Amino acid sequence: MKIFDLTRGHYSNIFDPYDGTYASHVEHMAHFSSKFLSLFKGHQEIDVVALLNNIPVFLVESSMAQEYVAVPGCECLVRVPEDNYLSPMDEFDIDKWLNSKNNGKDDPYERPQLEFTITDLLGVYIFSTDKDVIPRRIFIWMDKIVNYAKDKTKYKDANTVSKNACALFDFVFYHEMAHALMDVELYGVHPSPIFSYFDDYPYRFYEEAFANGIALDILMDKNLRAFPQQTFIKDFVKNQGDGYSYGWDIYRHYVRNLDQWMGMKVLFNYEVALLLRDMWKHKPFMDNFIETVGHDKWIAVKDHFDKWGIMELPYLKMVAGFEKYDFLWSFDENGLCMVRLDQEYGYLYGYINEQGGEQIPVEYEDIYSFENGITIAKKNGCYGAIGLKNQPVIPFNLPYEEVRGFRNGRAPVKNSEGKWGMIDTEGKEVVLCTKDRPFRPLLDKDSIIKKE
């Protein structure tokens, strides 16, 4: 980890450069982006810990703003940014914001080279799309941390102030590292260029909420030194304003949805803007709108009507079922993916193939996974079995109230008296319906009681 104290040790009482917990907890932080990587990078190996540890952290003072300061141990200078705080927008109107978007989408690979600065109250994360000597960097204003701790500590004894300052430094450090973690371009994934921290308040709102949530998730571990100061840190977060303050809720319930937020940054278009508008009004934190489907470079995407389709990456090409299915599962070894349509009085199931077509029409009231090319299904209230091409294998006239999926060529069945037995792949009852509970899915064939 690269931490450079440009204050020349003026704040050594609140930061220990030899404290190994920072590196270990950055390693813990990296796990938050693992699902995002599985969605957008597939099986490509990416060392997130190394990427984060390679970002230099500069400890500075407000008086250094706009100065070029020599970096200890490096033959380079770094310009300290302004410490201005980007305040939230007044009277933000989510519908007006939505109307400012359109259905067009620029090519992120063709956007101009820019520098982005995400400025918070006590720190800043900067990343540049240009060929910068230090393309990503973090600055933390040590004097502002100390002054805040002095001002907000209820009892002004030096020991408590110092402990609160230490805890606040840790919080700011992990908050800024969380911004780096959410920098999707760090992993070689290009986000939509029409969605930005500066121009889109929802971006700022969720970005800061998740940055705070991630920092809190790390700090509120009882083994860390910040834990005795959790009330101080909680008050700090709760009084930061929109977005920031919602980090407390994210820390407690929603950090696991970070992959959804990062996915929105990549896929942002008018449809995603509609989703954000709906989330904004109902205040959920990132309901699932992207999922894996067990197929490299394909992901499931949900629209604002809660309908799912499948998208091919990296070209963002819709493959199947967009704005149609209410739920879908993963592709199996047969190249089929189970899908569901929600009806007024129940569900209908079927399977789509890797070309996006419905290989098994979505017309079955129940259906199971295929085993050796056949599966149990239910249609018009009756059970039977079908093959991979939707051909009938067992007629839909099995005399049972319930039939479950095949395992080892046997399917549990329940008769009208509520007793369980088993049938084979021809529909013959090979285990008498005498049991009060269904048989275990995996069964030793030698133990089957043959029906006379």
Side-chain angles (χ1 to χ4, degrees):
M1 178 167 290
K2 302 176 179 179
I3 302 179
F4 301 96
D5 185 1
L6 303 187
T7 72
R8 295 177 174 81
H10 289 175
Y11 303 92
S12 57
N13 61 318
I14 67 170
F15 166 70
D16 180 2
Y18 302 105
D19 189 342
T21 60
Y22 294 103
S24 64
H25 287 96
V26 165
E27 184 172 352
H28 166 73
M29 179 186 293
H31 295 300
F32 290 128
S33 67
S34 59
K35 187 175 179 182
F36 168 79
L37 289 174
S38 71
L39 284 163
F40 287 91
K41 301 300 288 187
H43 301 296
Q44 183 176 343
E45 290 292 333
I46 293 182
D47 190 342
V48 179
V49 177
L51 290 174
L52 294 177
N53 282 333
N54 197 46
I55 298 173
V57 180
F58 299 104
L59 312 184
V60 298
E61 293 180 314
S62 301
S63 60
M64 298 178 180
Q66 302 301 332
E67 290 184 6
Y68 284 88
V69 182
V71 178
C74 298
E75 296 181 1
C76 66
L77 299 174
V78 62
R79 184 174 66 86
V80 181
E82 292 281 359
D83 61 339
N84 295 330
Y85 172 59
L86 186 60
S87 61
M89 299 179 183
D90 295 326
E91 299 180 1
F92 176 74
D93 187 330
I94 189 68
D95 291 307
K96 184 177 180 181
W97 170 82
L98 178 65
N99 291 334
S100 70
K101 302 302 171 186
N102 56 56
N103 286 293
K105 189 177 190 324
D106 300 326
D107 185 349
Y109 295 92
E110 295 179 356
R111 69 182 179 185
Q113 302 296 317
L114 298 172
E115 181 173 275
F116 298 88
T117 304
I118 298 177
T119 307
D120 298 317
L121 183 61
L122 304 173
V124 59
Y125 172 66
I126 297 175
F127 68 96
S128 172
T129 57
D130 204 353
K131 294 181 179 179
D132 202 308
V133 176
I134 309 177
R136 287 169 172 80
R137 48 212 182 272
I138 291 172
F139 293 87
I140 299 177
W141 289 290
M142 305 300 283
D143 57 326
K144 295 179 74 173
I145 288 175
V146 171
N147 292 336
Y148 186 93
K150 288 178 179 178
D151 183 51
K152 299 298 181 179
T153 299
K154 187 174 182 180
Y155 303 105
K156 304 296 182 180
D157 64 282
N159 185 49
T160 304
V161 170
S162 178
K163 288 182 177 179
N164 285 344
C166 288
L168 188 56
F169 172 84
D170 288 354
F171 177 83
V172 173
F173 176 87
Y174 293 120
H175 176 100
E176 300 305 332
M177 273 292 176
H179 280 306
L181 182 77
M182 293 184 285
D183 178 1
V184 296
E185 289 193 62
L186 182 67
Y187 314 115
V189 180
H190 291 270
S192 171
I194 60 171
F195 192 31
S196 78
Y197 182 85
F198 295 103
D199 299 326
D200 299 296
Y201 189 51
Y203 186 119
R204 204 180 314 166
F205 182 98
Y206 285 108
E207 184 83 0
E208 297 301 346
F210 272 102
N212 272 0
I214 292 168
L216 287 168
D217 186 85
I218 294 174
L219 283 183
M220 292 305 172
D221 187 321
K222 292 184 180 181
N223 295 321
L224 293 181
R225 60 179 178 152
F227 186 75
Q229 278 66 50
Q230 62 174 312
T231 300
F232 177 79
I233 295 297
K234 179 180 179 180
D235 290 342
F236 171 75
V237 171
K238 288 285 191 177
N239 288 290
Q240 277 191 287
D242 284 349
Y244 295 92
S245 61
Y246 283 88
W248 186 259
D249 301 308
I250 284 183
Y251 143 67
R252 296 167 68 189
H253 303 291
Y254 301 103
V255 176
R256 64 186 181 277
N257 287 358
L258 179 66
D259 58 288
Q260 302 297 312
W261 167 239
M262 294 172 70
M264 281 192 162
K265 293 166 68 172
V266 175
L267 301 179
F268 184 79
N269 57 16
Y270 185 73
E271 188 63 41
V272 176
L274 287 168
L275 272 170
L276 271 174
R277 188 272 311 271
D278 295 344
M279 290 180 184
W280 186 274
K281 289 188 172 182
H282 299 100
K283 286 292 185 276
F285 275 95
M286 298 299 120
D287 286 344
N288 283 7
F289 97 104
I290 51 174
E291 285 289 353
T292 58
V293 290
H295 188 293
D296 196 24
K297 298 299 182 183
W298 284 13
I299 59 172
V301 183
K302 183 175 71 172
D303 66 20
H304 75 289
F305 294 113
D306 288 338
K307 298 291 186 179
W308 289 86
I310 296 175
M311 177 182 287
E312 181 183 11
L313 298 175
Y315 307 108
L316 309 186
K317 175 185 176 183
M318 293 312 301
V319 176
F322 191 50
E323 299 181 349
K324 181 174 182 180
Y325 300 116
D326 293 292
F327 198 78
L328 46 79
W329 284 259
S330 294
F331 281 89
D332 60 19
E333 66 275 10
N334 304 300
L336 298 178
C337 175
M338 188 188 298
V339 295
R340 188 187 80 200
L341 291 178
D342 295 355
Q343 306 295 300
E344 184 176 358
Y345 299 106
Y347 303 133
L348 291 178
Y349 299 90
Y351 279 89
I352 59 174
N353 57 32
E354 293 182 341
Q355 289 71 48
E358 289 185 6
Q359 188 158 317
I360 307 296
V362 187
E363 61 185 18
Y364 295 99
E365 296 140 36
D366 203 353
I367 202 166
Y368 287 88
S369 301
F370 282 92
E371 182 185 82
N372 296 324
I374 63 172
T375 183
I376 292 293
K378 183 181 181 181
K379 186 175 182 180
N380 298 325
C382 296
Y383 286 97
I386 57 174
L388 292 170
K389 300 297 184 181
N390 198 40
Q391 75 275 21
V393 176
I394 300 175
F396 283 84
N397 58 7
L398 289 171
Y400 303 106
E401 287 191 351
E402 184 177 348
V403 183
R404 297 186 179 178
F406 285 110
R407 294 293 185 273
N408 285 352
R410 302 292 184 263
V413 295
K414 183 174 72 172
N415 66 15
S416 60
E417 297 176 354
K419 299 295 184 179
W420 288 87
M422 300 193 83
I423 61 172
D424 63 14
T425 55
E426 295 180 355
K428 296 178 181 179
E429 189 172 305
V430 294
V431 178
L432 295 173
C433 290
T434 59
K435 303 296 183 182
D436 293 327
R437 295 181 180 179
F439 288 82
R440 292 184 179 181
L442 298 178
L443 192 64
D444 182 356
K445 294 180 181 180
D446 293 335
S447 68
I448 293 176
I449 304 172
K450 295 287 185 179
K451 184 178 180 182
E452 296 297 335

